[in-house]
Amino acid sequence: MTVQDKTTGPLTTEAGAPVADNQQSQTAGPGGPTLIQDQLLLEKLAHFNRERIPERIVHARGAGAYGTFTVTADVTRYTRAKFLSEVGKQTETFLRFSTVAGNLGAPDAVRDPRGFALKFYTEEGNYDLVGNNTPVFFIRDAIKFPDFIHTQKRDPYTGSQEADNVWDFWGLSPESTHQVTWLLGDRGIPASYRHMNGYGSHTFQWNNADGEVFWVKYHFKTDQGIKCLTNEEAELLAGKDPDSHQRDLRESIERGDYPSWTVQVQIMPAADAPNYRFNPFDLTKVWPHDDYPPIEIGRLELNRNPENIFAEVEQSIFSPHHFVPGIGPSPDKMLQGRLFAYGDAHRYRVGINGDHLPVNRPHATTANTHGRDGVMYDGRHGGAKNYEPNSFDEAKETGEPLWEPVAVSGVTGDHVTPSHAEDDDFVQAGNLYRLMPEDAKQRLIDTAAGFIAKVSRDDIAQRAIENFRKADEDYGKRLEAAVQALRG
C-alpha cells in the first residue's frame, strides 16, 4: 500500500469512475429539484458527514435555550400551518446557536458565521428552521459544500487552517463574494448570541388552505439591538473567556433578562418567481426589501436554560426536512442537499433513534411510526405491528401532502441553474459595500487585507482581489493597495 502525495488523473468517485461535473448537482430539468440518482452528490455528502466522530463536523461549538414563539399577525392567507393559525397563539421552541468552523473546544468570540437552528414543537409535529445569522451563504449548490468546509478546517498536512486554502476556494468560487464581504465586515463577530439577527437564509414554500403557493424568507430581528466586536476586542475576549457567548446567554436567562427577536417574513407570490430579476432560490442573494418588504408575524423569546448541556444541546438534532402541513422546500439547490445531509449526519452522530430523546421528540403531539430497533431504541411500541398497511392499528397515511408540488420540465442531468436578468455573483456584494459608511469600509478593507496577505501565492491573492474589484472598483483598488502594503 502506498501513500498518495498528490492526486493525478481525472477526478473520480470513490469507486474510481470519472466525474463529469463536480460543480452542479443533477436536477429534474433546469431549475428543478435535485435528483436522488446523483450518486456523486450523495457520496460526497454522506462521506462528509462521517469524517469526524462524535462531535458535529460543522456547528460543533454551540449553546441553546428553550423559549416561546408567539404569533402577532394573521398569516392564514399565506399558510395553513396550525402553529401560525391565529394571533396570540404560542408554541414551545428550542434554539441552538453555534459557530461554524471551530471544534467543540474553540472560543466563541471569533469571526465566523453563527448557526441559528430553531425547533418549533407544534401540534402537527416538529418544524425545524435551520438557519444562520447571515441572510446569504458562500455557495449555492450542496455539491460544493464538503469542499468548502474542507477549506475552513485543518489542512491535512499542516493541521492548521490555511489562508491559501480559504482564498484559493473563495477566489475560484466567485459566488462567495457577497457572503465574504458580509463576514469580513463589522457584523462578522457578534458581541453575543443575543445581539445578532437570525435568518432562515433559504427560500421556503408556504401554501394556504386553497392550495395557493408563496415563496418566503424568514428574518429574526434581535430586540436587544445589533452589537459586534472589533478584531482587537474579539482577540482579547477569546483569550480571557472562550465561553463568552455561552455564558452570556445562560446568565441573561438566569437573571430573567429574556432575549427576544421580532420575526418577519418576506413573501413572494409563486407567479413572480420565474421572471424575477434574479433567481429567487439562489442562497448567495437576498431579496431587496423594496421588492418584497418584510412583514412582522411573531415574536420569539428565550426563557429557559437546558438542565444538561450534553443531553439537550449536544444531542439536539435539527433537519431542514422537518416540515409541517403548510410549509415545504423550494428548488434551492443548497436546501435540497441539506434535506438529506442533516438527517444523515444526525443518524450517524447521535444514532438512528436520536429523535426519541426528550429535546428532539415532539412535545405537542406524538410521533407514530413503524420504525423499530437500533441503537437507543426504548421499546416504546411494545408489541404493536411494525409494518403498513396493516389491519391491526390506526396509524394510516393521510393522503394530504405537507406542501404543494412544483412543476418541472426537461431532461435529467448536471444542469446549470437557468439565468435571470440580474443573476450576477458580484452585484449584491458591491451594493453591500456601497451601503457601508467610510469607517466601516476601511475596517472591512483592513480585515480582508490582513487575511489575504497571509496567502503564499500571488496568483491566489490576485484572483481573490479581482472578485472584489468586480463587485466595486473602489473596493478592489483599496484592497489591492492594502494587501501590497502588507506583503511589501
Side-chain angles (χ1 to χ4, degrees):
M1 206 176 155
T2 59
V3 177
Q4 275 188 266
D5 186 41
K6 291 185 178 181
T7 302
T8 59
L11 181 67
T12 75
T13 67
E14 291 176 1
V19 171
D21 190 333
N22 194 41
Q23 307 303 313
Q24 313 289 337
S25 52
Q26 294 184 18
T27 56
T34 304
L35 297 172
I36 199 169
Q37 74 176 35
D38 189 344
Q39 287 304 297
L40 176 63
L41 171 65
L42 300 190
E43 177 183 285
K44 288 180 70 175
L45 294 178
H47 187 283
F48 177 74
N49 283 337
R50 291 161 174 81
E51 288 179 3
R52 302 286 187 277
I53 56 171
E55 71 177 35
R56 290 169 168 88
I57 295 174
V58 288
H59 298 280
R61 174 73 170 179
Y66 295 91
T68 304
F69 170 76
T70 304
V71 178
T72 59
D74 182 1
V75 293
T76 54
R77 61 175 291 197
Y78 303 113
T79 178
R80 56 191 171 95
K82 287 186 178 178
F83 80 101
L84 297 172
S85 62
E86 58 182 296
V87 174
K89 187 164 187 174
Q90 294 189 326
T91 299
E92 183 189 3
T93 62
F94 181 76
L95 176 57
R96 185 180 187 270
F97 303 98
S98 56
T99 52
V100 175
N103 59 23
L104 196 56
D108 290 336
V110 294
R111 187 173 294 278
D112 199 12
R114 300 302 194 272
F116 195 95
L118 180 60
K119 187 182 298 292
F120 297 85
Y121 298 102
T122 90
E123 66 264 51
E124 297 178 293
N126 291 348
Y127 171 44
D128 290 353
L129 186 60
V130 191
N132 286 320
N133 72 326
T134 63
V136 293
F137 197 60
F138 299 91
I139 52 176
R140 63 172 65 95
D141 194 313
I143 203 166
K144 298 182 73 169
F145 186 73
D147 300 296
F148 163 60
I149 294 298
H150 286 163
T151 72
Q152 306 297 303
K153 291 287 191 174
R154 299 181 185 276
D155 181 85
Y157 174 68
T158 68
S160 302
Q161 187 190 57
E162 296 295 336
D164 279 9
N165 301 348
V166 173
W167 286 107
D168 189 35
F169 182 87
W170 284 348
L172 292 169
S173 302
E175 69 270 27
S176 68
T177 307
H178 190 189
Q179 171 72 322
V180 173
T181 298
W182 198 102
L183 177 63
L184 300 184
D186 281 351
R187 294 194 181 187
I189 315 178
S192 79
Y193 289 132
R194 297 181 298 126
H195 293 94
M196 68 181 194
N197 292 339
Y199 301 90
S201 301
H202 296 286
T203 300
F204 296 92
Q205 185 197 104
W206 274 8
N207 57 90
N208 65 20
D210 295 325
E212 292 179 288
V213 170
F214 303 87
W215 301 118
V216 302
K217 283 185 176 290
Y218 294 91
H219 303 253
F220 295 77
K221 300 293 187 175
T222 175
D223 295 329
Q224 290 68 238
I226 295 287
K227 291 184 181 179
C228 302
L229 301 173
T230 65
N231 291 330
E232 295 75 20
E233 290 170 337
E235 288 175 3
L236 288 173
L237 184 58
K240 288 182 178 180
D241 184 7
D243 302 323
S244 57
H245 289 34
Q246 299 186 48
R247 188 186 315 281
D248 173 85
L249 178 66
R250 184 187 71 249
E251 292 180 352
S252 70
I253 294 175
E254 286 176 344
R255 64 176 179 265
D257 182 12
Y258 299 141
S260 65
W261 287 259
T262 298
V263 185
Q264 302 173 338
V265 292
Q266 289 177 280
I267 300 177
M268 174 189 289
D272 290 7
N275 299 312
Y276 188 50
R277 53 200 176 102
F278 57 82
N279 179 6
F281 311 117
D282 183 346
L283 184 57
T284 68
K285 294 181 174 65
V286 296
W287 296 354
H289 292 185
D290 288 344
D291 292 353
Y292 298 98
I295 61 173
E296 180 183 332
I297 67 163
R299 182 174 182 270
L300 173 68
E301 178 186 87
L302 298 182
N303 47 37
R304 179 164 67 91
N305 284 317
E307 294 293 324
N308 184 283
I309 297 298
F310 178 78
E312 298 167 83
V313 178
E314 289 311 305
Q315 292 194 121
S316 62
I317 62 177
F318 300 84
S319 175
H321 81 257
H322 289 164
F323 293 111
V324 293
I327 303 178
S330 77
D332 177 339
K333 293 175 80 172
M334 268 299 297
L335 174 60
Q336 291 279 320
R338 294 177 80 207
L339 298 180
F340 161 77
Y342 274 62
D344 183 60
H346 295 312
R347 283 187 287 271
Y348 147 73
R349 194 181 67 85
V350 182
I352 192 63
N353 291 304
D355 56 338
H356 291 185
L357 295 171
V359 69
N360 299 321
R361 67 189 180 212
H363 289 190
T365 186
T366 300
N368 198 8
T369 77
H370 291 101
R372 299 290 190 275
D373 306 341
V375 175
M376 294 198 306
Y377 180 62
D378 58 10
R380 63 181 56 192
H381 301 94
K385 302 302 180 185
N386 62 348
Y387 61 91
E388 197 281 329
N390 74 62
S391 59
F392 293 88
D393 62 41
E394 297 301 318
K396 307 297 183 185
E397 61 195 18
T398 67
E400 300 175 0
L402 305 188
W403 59 84
E404 294 298 313
V406 176
V408 298
S409 63
V411 298
T412 63
D414 300 306
H415 295 291
V416 176
T417 302
S419 292
H420 294 231
E422 295 183 18
D423 273 334
D424 181 288
D425 290 329
F426 308 107
V427 168
Q428 292 200 356
N431 291 342
L432 178 59
Y433 175 78
R434 288 184 288 273
L435 280 173
M436 296 178 182
E438 177 55 35
D439 58 339
K441 288 180 180 177
Q442 190 57 55
R443 288 189 292 272
L444 168 63
I445 296 297
D446 292 343
T447 298
F451 195 1
I452 295 174
K454 297 177 181 178
V455 171
S456 65
R457 281 172 39 189
D458 290 342
D459 63 315
I460 293 177
Q462 192 59 42
R463 186 166 52 239
I465 292 168
E466 286 306 310
N467 281 344
F468 296 113
R469 193 190 307 277
K470 291 174 183 176
D472 184 275
E473 180 63 29
D474 177 71
Y475 190 1
K477 180 179 179 181
R478 292 172 63 175
L479 184 56
E480 183 174 41
V483 171
Q484 287 178 347
L486 290 170
R487 290 168 73 91

